[in-house]
Amino acid sequence: MKAAPKHWVVLPAAGAGRRFGSAVPKQYLPLGDRRVIEHSIAVFIEHPLIAGCIVALSPGDEWWQETAYVDHPAVVRVPGGAERFDSVANALAALANQAAADDWVLVHDAARPCLTTADLDRLLAALIDEPVGALLAVPMHDTVKSAEEAFGARVERTLPRQQLWRAFTPQAFRLGQLRDALAYCRAERMAITDDASAMEQLGLRPLLIEGRADNIKITRPEDLPLAEFFLEQQRRQEQR
Ligand code: C5P
C-alpha cells in the first residue's frame, strides 16, 4: 500500500527587508516575547501533521543562531538565493533527499508571524484529495486601480474586485510539481512573487482557501505593532 503523503514546511527567510529599512532583517525583529521568525515557525512545529521544516537563510545570516530553533531536530537550514523563488528552490532541492515527490510542501513567508492553527488546519483539510494544491487568501474588499508606468501615478483603470483575492501563505503544492514549476519559471526568467504563480505557469489552477485577514506579511515598520496587536487578540480569543 502506498504511504500517505507527508507535509513539510519551507520557510523562505533570506530576504534583507530593504523596504522595511532596518539594519536587522524584519524576520528577526522582536515581536512580543519572541522574534518574528520564531512565531512563524512555532505554529508548524507544534502541529502534529508537520513532518519537518526547511528554513532558507541568507549566507551572511548572523541572527538565526540566536533563535529558539537553531538546534531543533525538525528544523534544517539551507542557503537562500537572490530572489524569494531561488530560496524556495534551494529548500526544495534539500527536501528531495528525505521527502517523496508527491509529499505536500507548505511554503510560508518567514515574515508572516500571525498564522493561526485554525487557518493551517483549514488549508491541510483542503489538501485531502486535492489534485493541484491550495493557498490561503483573502477576498479583495478595497477598490483596486491599475496604473501604467507611462501614466506615472495616474489611474489607468479600475479592476473588477469581485474576482480579486490577496494571495497569502502558506501555499501548499506537491514537492515534485512545485520543483518542476519553479525550474520552468527560472529557465524562462519569469519574475514570480509567490509559488502559486509558478504552478499557474504550468496551466494548473490552485485552490483559494479563504483565511484570516490578520495573517499579514511584515513589510513596513507600521506592520510590526499591528502584528503584535493581532497576536494579542488571537491569544485572548483562544482563552475564551
Ligand atoms: O520581500 P518579501 O517580503 O516579499 O519576502 C517574502 C519572504 O521571502 C520573506 O520571508 C523573505 O525573507 C523571503 N525571501 C527569501 N529570499 C530572498 C528574498 C526574500 O527567502 N532572496
Side-chain angles (χ1 to χ4, degrees), residues 72-173:
H72 196 289
V75 183
V76 172
R77 68 176 281 181
V78 297
E83 301 293 335
R84 181 188 185 278
F85 63 89
D86 298 316
S87 299
V88 174
N90 287 358
L92 296 182
L95 196 50
N97 298 328
Q98 50 180 325
D102 66 350
D103 278 357
W104 291 108
V105 179
L106 282 69
V107 184
H108 184 61
D109 293 322
R112 266 185 216 277
C114 302
L115 172 66
T116 61
T117 303
D119 263 12
L120 175 56
D121 281 337
R122 280 154 51 79
L123 182 72
L124 291 170
L127 298 179
I128 299 167
D129 297 330
E130 165 55 38
V132 177
L135 61 145
L136 288 181
V138 172
M140 181 62 80
H141 298 304
D142 295 309
T143 300
V144 183
K145 311 284 185 191
S146 82
E148 266 192 2
E149 225 175 323
F151 290 12
R154 284 191 189 274
V155 172
E156 183 218 9
R157 66 193 174 99
T158 302
L159 303 174
R161 72 176 177 199
Q162 295 83 346
Q163 284 179 290
L164 297 179
W165 292 66
R166 292 191 290 147
F168 286 5
T169 69
Q171 304 194 348
F173 301 106

Side-chain angles (χ1 to χ4, degrees), residues 45-58:
I45 291 300
E46 289 160 14
H47 197 287
L49 278 186
I50 301 300
C53 182
I54 313 279
V55 189
L57 302 176
S58 161

